[in-house]
Amino acid sequence: MKKCIIKMLMILVAVAILLLISPSVKAASAKISANSTNVYVGDKVTVSAIFTAASWNLTISGNGVTTSKYADVTSDAENATKTQSVNLDTSKEGSYTIKLTGDVTDGTTGETTNVNSS
């Protein structure tokens, strides 16, 4: 009886260790964010595209930013998380709409996801 309990405990510990060391897989995704949403004329605002993918073809565009294109592939064809940023020109009063468009490809499944967010 005591040997059976010890074996069960060893199996549970082994399973727990395997769960802790197994790599987590993140699906390809992309989003856009800014370090501030309400600003005054002249404030410094950074707009960032944050994406997880093995390959990407993305564009940040809109009023108040210089259109920036980002396209690349990871060297090992595995998903990696990246950030690309642009500065928003807040020298004029008004509303700004910044868009992130393009696509990201998942290194695990090979699935390409279209991106269209603002």
Side-chain angles (χ1 to χ4, degrees):
M1 181 72 165
K2 196 174 192 180
K3 287 184 181 183
C4 185
I5 292 174
I6 292 173
K7 284 183 182 180
M8 291 298 283
L9 285 174
M10 290 177 62
I11 291 171
L12 288 174
V13 169
V15 169
I17 290 172
L18 287 174
L19 289 174
L20 290 174
I21 63 171
S22 65
S24 62
V25 176
K26 293 183 178 179
S29 63
K31 67 180 181 176
I32 192 167
S33 67
N35 65 339
S36 184
T37 55
N38 295 311
V39 298
Y40 294 100
V41 172
D43 283 356
K44 183 176 179 176
V45 177
T46 303
V47 178
S48 300
I50 301 117
F51 50 95
T52 301
S55 67
W56 53 93
N57 182 16
L58 297 169
T59 301
I60 299 174
S61 61
N63 58 329
V65 297
T66 302
T67 298
S68 301
K69 298 182 180 200
Y70 307 100
D72 207 349
V73 178
T74 59
S75 61
D76 58 3
E78 300 224 358
N79 290 346
T81 301
K82 306 279 186 180
T83 302
Q84 297 291 336
S85 300
V86 296
N87 291 321
L88 178 65
D89 178 8
T90 61
S91 62
K92 297 180 183 174
E93 189 176 316
S95 295
Y96 297 90
T97 301
I98 313 303
K99 294 182 179 183
L100 177 63
T101 56
D103 58 68
V104 291
T105 302
D106 189 290
T108 305
T109 65
E111 182 178 330
T112 299
T113 304
N114 290 325
V115 176
N116 187 6
S117 61
S118 58

